[in-house]
Each structure stands twice: as C-alpha cells, then as structure tokens.
C-alpha cells in the first residue's frame, strides 16, 4: 500500500478554468481552520477565468498559462509542472479544470492529482454529468472526489456524496444541489490527505481510521 501524503500542512496547487466556486469553498475551509492546507498557486488555462481574480484578491499567486502558446500538450504541461514545483505544491487540486491531464503531469505528480466530478463515478463520466443523470432517470446521483489517472474520470475514488434526483429535476436544479455537496466533500477529502490518512491499494483507496488521540 502506498501512503500518498504524510501528516502535516498540505501545500496545494489549484488548477481551474472557470468560476472557481470549489476553489472558494476550499479557501473558506482553510480560513475556518477546518482544512490544514495552504494554497501556493492557482493556475488557469483561461485568461478570463473568475478563479484567477478570486485567487489574486486573496493574495494567492495566480497565473494564466495559455495552452496555445506551446507547441504541444507536453510542453504546456511542462510549464505547469515548473510553476507548481517553484511554488512548492505537493498536491494538485483540479477545480473545474476543463482539460484532460496528460502524461507529463501524471508522471510528475503520480497519485497526487485530485479531481471532483459531479456524478457518482463510474457512472456518467465526462461532460454534462448532471444532464446525463437527469436524462437517464437515475434516482440518485452526487459527486465524487477521485485521484486522476490516465482515463477520463476513471481514477481511484476517495469520497462520494449522494444527492437524490427528483422526477421533474432539470440539469440546472440537480447541478445546484450537487454543487452544495461538492463544496463540503472536496475540502473534507483534502483534510484526509493533510492527516496522512489516504492509502492506495491497487485501484482502491483506503482511509485509515483516526487514532484515539485524534478522536478526543
Ligand atoms: C463542478 O461542477 C465540478 O464538479 C466540475 O466542474 C465544476 C466546477 O465548478 N469538475 P467551479 O468552477 O468550482 O464553480
């Protein structure tokens, strides 16, 4: 079994392409003292991502890295890796990052890249997961925090939260209720890493129980 992080203050690098509500929720958990972590850098592939401004406003180093400025994905990802390493990030948090992660990032941060997906994986991978769930007619959906691997939304699952799907739900209504759960689940999963409790056994994540002193 591999222990992914040792207990201690987590040093995070966040990648976001859009509005950054998950980024906000993670920052809020840090501010409240619920998550022992520091966000060292926020990187975006979109110049106009709201997440960039949100990070700057919080005094977090924020950098737009334009994929179009690089010859290929490997060069682009090498620049991301350089930025993450210089900032001292030990764990990478994808928070609405709308690109597939490639070989360079996976090799440099093996088992140390996390994502949140708005469905109960392995169901409804890829884009528009909430719409897929509504159209399929499932009774429950939710969200999943997982480790990123080579596939699309296929990596080892850390935690999931279940959200009921109502008969007359539409994509937006379901997405709103799932997002509320995302905003709790992501930082809670990150706190497991800060406590050094996350182990990988093949494709399975084992969360070590808290010991007695920690429970007191
Ligand atoms: C969330 O629904 C998340 O599950 C998905 O992308 C969306 C990001 O939203 N991966 P935000 O930018 O964090 O508000």
């Amino acid at each position: 079994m591999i222990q992914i992080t040792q207990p201690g203050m987590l040093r995070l690098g966040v990648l976001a392409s859009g509005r950054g509500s998950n980024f906000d929720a993670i920052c809020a958990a840090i501010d409240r003292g619920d998550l022992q972590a520091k966000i060292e850098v926020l990187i975006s592939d979109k110049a106009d991502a709201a997440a960039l401004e949100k990070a700057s406003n919080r005094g977090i180093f924020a950098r737009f890295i334009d994929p179009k400025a690089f010859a290929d994905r490997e060069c682009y990802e090498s620049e991301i890796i350089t930025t993450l390493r210089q900032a001292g990030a030990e764990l990478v948090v994808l928070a609405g990052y709308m690109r597939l992660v490639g070989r360079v990032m996976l090799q440099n941060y093996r088992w140390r890249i996390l994502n949140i997906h708005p469905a109960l994986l392995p169901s409804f991978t890829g884009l528009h997961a909430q719409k897929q769930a509504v159209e399929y007619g499932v009774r429950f959906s939710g969200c999943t925090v997982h480790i990123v691997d080579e596939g699309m939304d296929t990596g080892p699952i850390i935690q999931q939260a279940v959200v009921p799907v109502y008969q007359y739900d539409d994509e937006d209504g379901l997405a709103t209720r799932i997002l509320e759960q995302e905003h709790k689940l992501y930082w809670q999963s990150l706190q497991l890493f800060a406590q050094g409790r996350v182990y990988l056994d093949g494709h399975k994540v084992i969360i070590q129980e808290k010991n007695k002193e920690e429970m007191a």
Side-chain angles (χ1 to χ4, degrees), residues 16-24 51 54 94-98 115-119 130 143 175 178-179 182-183:
S17 305
R19 66 190 165 186
S21 72
N22 277 288
F23 167 70
D24 270 339
K54 287 181 175 179
L94 307 186
Y97 180 65
M98 301 306 286
N115 183 41
I116 189 156
H117 182 73
Q130 303 94 333
C143 49
I178 291 176
L179 200 61
E182 292 184 37
H183 293 165

Side-chain angles (χ1 to χ4, degrees), residues 88-106:
E90 56 175 321
L91 204 69
V92 179
V93 176
L94 307 186
Y97 180 65
M98 301 306 286
R99 284 174 187 274
L100 278 179
V101 171
R103 188 184 61 82
V104 171
M105 282 180 63
L106 289 169

Side-chain angles (χ1 to χ4, degrees), residues 105-127:
M105 282 180 63
L106 289 169
Q107 280 177 359
N108 279 276
Y109 278 88
R110 194 69 182 146
W111 311 127
R112 285 167 172 263
I113 306 175
L114 308 185
N115 183 41
I116 189 156
H117 182 73
L120 292 177
L121 292 174
S123 291
F124 310 129
T125 59
L127 292 175

Side-chain angles (χ1 to χ4, degrees), residues 11-68:
R11 302 183 69 184
L12 303 176
V14 178
L15 268 66
S17 305
R19 66 190 165 186
S21 72
N22 277 288
F23 167 70
D24 270 339
I26 292 166
C27 291
I30 293 173
D31 292 347
R32 291 195 306 271
D34 287 338
L35 169 59
Q36 272 71 57
K38 178 163 187 275
I39 300 179
E40 303 288 0
V41 60
L42 179 129
I43 300 171
S44 184
D45 59 329
K46 297 267 186 262
D48 58 354
L52 279 170
E53 205 186 325
K54 287 181 175 179
S56 300
N57 289 344
R58 287 179 178 270
I60 294 168
F61 173 48
R63 182 166 177 217
F64 162 53
I65 302 181
D66 186 358
K68 293 193 211 83

